[in-house]
Amino acid sequence: GDSVTQTEGQVALSEEDFLTIHCNYSASGYPALFWYVQYPGEGPQFLFRASRDKEKGSSRGFEATYDKGTTSFHLRKASVQESDSAVYYCALGDRGNMGYKLTFGTGTSLLVDP
Amino acid sequence: AQTIHQWPVAEIKAVGSPLSLGCTIKGKSSPNLYWYWQATGGTLQQLFYSITVGQVESVVQLNLSASRPKDDQFILSTEKLLLSHSGFYLCAWSLDWGGDAEQFFGPGTRLTVL
């Protein structure tokens, strides 16, 4: 079945550092890819999506590029702020018969020191 | 603007007792609705989805059931809680059907089973 792998369980940075969170996927079809962010005690918030190879999604200074060749959708931000501290989830949307299904990775907890 | 409300905010229940959690979507007619479960510190697991009133499909069997009695309402329930039911329950909606559709999450209900 479909799966999403996030390599980093936790990332600790200082303000203005560069951020990379790795996301790799495995899917039988051609999925859509998403990034969500979750703050403590809240539901996840949609960050952005990419639907085809080489498409870049972006929001709030975060960006990721759909790479079908390496099956990746790594999240990047040039300069993080303390307010970016949260858990980030990469997710995969099935575009086949299971069009309802969103498969989430295990999440990466980002902590940014001021 | 669409709003999503979940109730209750939190529950503490005994093993073997019944449970009913609710979700209401305002500002959007005929949304696609979803229930998710999140263990503490864990990822999101999709439980149910519904594309229309009276029709609910199960994604994962966790001794839970769901119903959609109205277009804007989604209910999650069980007659007998297990310890393993503890966690964070999230309702979500989407405008479109299919793997490209971003899902928007509610604030969640924190359930503790003792």
Side-chain angles (χ1 to χ4, degrees):
Chain A
D2 297 344
S3 66
V4 177
T5 301
Q6 290 181 238
T7 314
E8 301 90 356
Q10 291 185 331
V11 174
L13 297 172
S14 299
E15 279 196 329
E16 300 184 10
D17 280 352
F18 188 92
L19 168 72
T20 300
I21 296 177
H22 294 94
C23 171
N24 288 90
Y25 69 90
S26 173
S28 54
Y30 195 165
L33 300 172
F34 302 80
W35 277 102
Y36 282 81
V37 57
Q38 186 175 28
Y39 299 96
E42 299 181 7
Q45 297 176 20
F46 169 75
L47 259 183
F48 56 80
R49 168 195 58 209
S51 297
R52 55 189 176 277
D53 193 23
K54 302 296 183 268
E55 180 181 357
K56 184 165 82 172
S58 64
S59 175
R60 310 184 205 176
F62 294 91
E63 62 179 41
T65 299
Y66 193 135
D67 190 327
K68 195 166 185 289
T70 60
T71 60
S72 66
F73 193 53
H74 305 318
L75 182 69
R76 294 185 167 92
K77 187 176 186 184
S79 176
V80 295
Q81 303 301 312
E82 187 180 6
S83 58
D84 293 328
S85 297
V87 179
Y88 292 81
Y89 290 95
C90 184
L92 178 160
D94 191 303
R95 288 193 279 197
N97 292 331
M98 300 166 76
Y100 59 89
K101 191 165 175 59
L102 206 54
T103 301
F104 284 81
T106 50
T108 298
S109 177
L110 172 64
L111 180 61
V112 180
D113 284 330
Chain B
Q2 295 86 8
T3 59
I4 178 169
H5 175 59
Q6 288 189 243
W7 72 93
V9 172
E11 278 266 49
I12 300 175
K13 304 278 280 186
V15 169
S17 63
L19 173 76
S20 182
L21 304 180
C23 170
T24 298
I25 316 296
K26 295 299 182 187
K28 175 62 185 169
S29 63
S30 304
N32 302 306
L33 298 176
Y34 312 85
W35 276 112
Y36 285 82
W37 172 75
Q38 185 177 33
T40 302
T43 190
L44 292 98
Q45 171 71 65
Q46 198 174 62
L47 301 176
F48 299 93
Y49 70 93
S50 171
I51 59 175
T52 192
V53 174
Q55 190 175 340
V56 177
E57 301 296 332
S58 173
V59 179
V60 163
Q61 290 295 330
L62 282 182
N63 292 306
L64 296 166
S65 60
S67 64
R68 188 169 176 177
K70 302 179 186 177
D71 185 54
D72 63 353
Q73 196 173 80
F74 207 18
I75 306 297
L76 184 71
S77 60
T78 183
E79 293 186 0
K80 274 191 174 181
L81 278 166
L82 308 172
L83 282 175
S84 58
H85 285 137
S86 291
F88 199 38
Y89 287 85
L90 293 147
C91 181
W93 63 273
S94 67
L95 290 174
D96 301 310
W97 184 250
D100 292 284
E102 62 264 36
Q103 295 181 19
F104 300 96
F105 288 81
T109 294
R110 175 74 57 189
L111 174 66
T112 303
V113 182
L114 302 174

